[in-house]
């Protein structure tokens, strides 16, 4: 895997360095400075719009996860309440039967029944049974009281869950609106460019990523990274790299399209590990490792808000789902600002 990855990375320039003249296509004539500045401004604006959309996508994913959780909890509570109500009805029937039995005795105190009884010995023999009956009545009343209190609590919890579900749905809808607005704005900006400008814009994006990667490599970060992938890590990498070329779609978790955290989620599921849905939760919940201890299969979390994630595949590269309009691809691990590294398959000390 490492050799294959290295070949791909060298061919695409992800490891930095200088390609030979024979390998490099002739560069088009440089555009006038004014055009270059204009295109770079467009690139920055488009990048900003897609970054906002990506943050909103992770918000959407988190809200969607909460909606599903609240729905499951409400269903569980409904079943618990239904079962409790059936038990309550059974206890009420039992309490009624015990009350009827007491009524049939005439409600006379035990001392009086002893004095009036023609057969005191028989009465005393049954006294223990009487006491047990009274204890049974008290037990049923106690159960009824506790069950009614529990049902009240379940009902209040269900009401809270419904309120939370409504709030999560509103968050989800707001995030969806923001995502669509930002993506539409970015697409409109791109649509105003001529075909040659679009080509130059893509090259400008690639050049910026390569420049950032080269700075990262020049910092010496890669020389200390020598870790080998675990068996599960190899499976996760195999799945992730087999998705290369598939479209990025926000909120998608495969099998045909992915967003950034959808790709890492499915890749590690294929390796037998369940990890959180969003990049923020992956950063928050998974064990963190130092960059120098990173190994293939680990997840690199990007940007200060943890809104992007890629999987390290070795040789200074990640596989990731970049943004709308792009496909799952390999790129330099240092091509974006690194927040940190997490390891889905174990203790950070390993």
């Amino acid at each position: 895997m490492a050799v294959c990855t290295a070949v791909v990375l060298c061919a695409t320039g992800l490891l930095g360095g200088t390609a030979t003249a024979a390998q490099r296509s002739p560069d088009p004539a440089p555009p006038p400075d004014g055009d270059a500045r204009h295109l770079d401004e467009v690139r920055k604006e488009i990048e900003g719009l897609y970054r906002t959309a990506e943050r909103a996508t992770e918000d959407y994913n988190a809200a969607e996860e909460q909606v599903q959780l609240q729905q499951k909890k409400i269903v569980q509570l409904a079943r618990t309440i239904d079962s409790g109500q059936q038990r309550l009805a059974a206890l009420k029937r039992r309490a009624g039967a015990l009350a009827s039995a007491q009524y049939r005795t005439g409600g006379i105190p035990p001392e009086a029944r002893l004095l009036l009884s023609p057969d005191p010995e028989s009465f005393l023999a049954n006294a223990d049974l009487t006491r047990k009956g009274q204890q049974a009545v008290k037990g049923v009343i106690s159960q009824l009281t506790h069950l009614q209190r529990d049902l009240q609590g379940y009902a209040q919890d269900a009401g809270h869950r419904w309120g939370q579900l409504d709030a999560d749905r509103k968050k989800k809808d707001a995030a969806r609106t923001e995502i669509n607005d930002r993506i539409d704005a970015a697409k409109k900006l791109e649509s105003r460019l001529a075909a040659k400008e679009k080509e130059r814009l893509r090259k400008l994006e690639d050049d910026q990523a390569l420049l950032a990667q080269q700075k990262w490599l020049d910092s010496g970060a890669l020389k200390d990274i020598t870790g080998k992938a675990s068996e599960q890590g190899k499976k996760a990498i195999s799945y992730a790299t087999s998705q290369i070329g598939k479209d990025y779609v926000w909120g998608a978790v495969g099998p045909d399209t992915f967003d950034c955290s959808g790709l890492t989620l499915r890749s590690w599921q294929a390796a037998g590990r369940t990890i959180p849905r969003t990049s923020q939760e992956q950063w928050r919940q998974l064990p963190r490792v130092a960059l120098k201890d990173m190994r293939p299969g680990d997840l690199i979390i990007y940007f200060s808000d943890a809104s992007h994630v890629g999987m390290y595949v070795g040789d200074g590269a990640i596989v990731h789902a970049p943004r709308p309009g792009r496909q799952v691809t390999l790129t330099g691990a240092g091509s974006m600002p690194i927040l940190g590294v997490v390891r889905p398959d174990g203790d950070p000390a390993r």
Side-chain angles (χ1 to χ4, degrees):
M1 167 62 74
V3 174
C4 175
T5 304
V7 171
V8 172
L9 298 179
C10 288
T12 54
L14 297 181
L15 292 178
T18 307
T20 65
Q23 290 172 320
R24 194 167 53 225
S25 301
D27 289 333
D33 285 347
D35 288 352
R37 280 197 299 271
H38 165 70
L39 202 56
D40 194 47
E41 287 168 5
V42 170
R43 176 191 67 79
K44 287 176 181 175
E45 190 171 353
I46 288 172
E47 186 179 286
L49 288 166
Y50 280 127
R51 282 277 301 115
T52 305
E54 186 165 49
R55 284 194 294 269
T57 296
E58 291 304 285
D59 290 343
Y60 175 90
N61 291 337
E64 170 66 10
E65 195 171 39
Q66 283 303 307
V67 164
Q68 291 175 4
L69 175 66
Q70 298 302 344
Q71 286 173 335
K72 284 180 184 175
K73 288 287 186 184
I74 288 168
V75 169
Q76 288 171 358
L77 281 167
R79 286 175 179 160
T80 302
I81 289 170
D82 181 60
S83 171
Q85 285 174 335
Q86 290 180 31
R87 191 172 161 225
L88 184 65
L91 282 170
K92 283 180 176 177
R93 287 195 296 272
R94 190 175 165 198
L98 289 169
S100 296
Q102 277 195 332
Y103 177 75
R104 285 195 296 273
T105 66
I108 301 172
E111 297 84 355
R113 292 207 304 275
L114 174 60
L115 292 171
L116 296 172
S117 174
D119 186 1
E121 287 185 7
S122 175
F123 173 82
L124 291 171
N126 291 324
D128 188 48
L129 290 175
T130 303
R131 280 195 299 274
K132 286 180 181 178
Q134 289 171 337
Q135 287 170 357
V137 171
K138 287 178 182 177
V140 169
I141 291 170
S142 175
Q143 287 182 62
L144 276 168
T145 303
H146 283 99
L147 186 54
Q148 284 173 326
R149 191 182 303 128
D150 287 346
L151 285 172
Q152 259 187 341
Y154 296 144
Q156 287 172 354
D157 193 8
H160 170 74
R161 295 281 178 186
W162 274 113
Q164 190 61 51
L165 178 63
D166 186 52
D168 289 331
R169 281 176 172 156
K170 285 175 180 173
K171 284 182 191 173
K172 189 173 134 183
D173 290 341
R176 180 192 287 116
T177 299
E178 183 168 14
I179 293 162
N180 288 327
D181 287 348
R182 296 299 180 268
I183 291 174
D184 287 347
K187 284 180 177 177
K188 281 177 185 173
L189 267 177
E190 287 187 276
S191 69
R192 293 176 195 150
L193 300 174
K196 284 185 178 179
E197 285 181 310
K198 286 179 183 177
E199 189 178 329
R200 279 167 42 211
L201 178 66
R202 181 137 194 174
K203 185 178 184 306
L204 193 58
E205 289 176 353
D206 292 342
D207 288 347
Q208 288 294 320
L210 191 56
L211 184 64
Q213 171 73 354
Q214 191 62 58
K215 279 183 70 176
W216 183 67
L217 294 173
D218 290 345
S219 73
L222 190 58
K223 67 181 175 63
D224 295 325
I225 300 172
T226 57
K228 304 296 181 185
S230 65
E231 287 306 309
Q232 282 188 310
K234 289 175 185 175
K235 290 177 183 176
I237 292 168
S238 177
Y239 181 92
T241 53
S242 69
Q243 310 311 311
I244 289 173
K246 291 186 177 180
D247 288 337
Y248 176 107
V249 172
W250 66 266
V253 291
D256 301 317
T257 57
F258 298 88
D259 63 20
C260 68
S261 55
L263 178 65
T264 53
L265 170 75
R266 290 296 183 224
S267 298
W268 272 100
Q269 276 185 346
R273 288 268 178 165
T274 298
I275 65 174
R277 168 66 180 95
T278 68
S279 58
Q280 287 98 337
E281 287 303 301
Q282 289 170 7
W283 172 243
R284 191 173 72 85
Q285 294 186 37
L286 297 178
R288 298 181 187 179
V289 296
L291 190 66
K292 66 181 178 61
D293 298 323
M294 181 169 63
R295 68 189 185 195
D298 288 347
L299 305 181
I300 303 181
I301 309 296
Y302 292 97
F303 302 106
S304 60
D305 56 3
S307 58
H308 191 74
V309 59
M311 181 183 294
Y312 186 62
V313 296
D315 298 315
I318 59 165
V319 59
H320 74 143
R323 67 163 176 82
R326 298 289 186 260
Q327 292 73 41
V328 175
T329 188
L330 288 169
T331 193
S335 60
M336 295 167 283
I338 295 174
L339 177 61
V341 181
V342 294
R343 178 164 296 163
D345 62 336
D347 189 318
R350 286 170 56 194

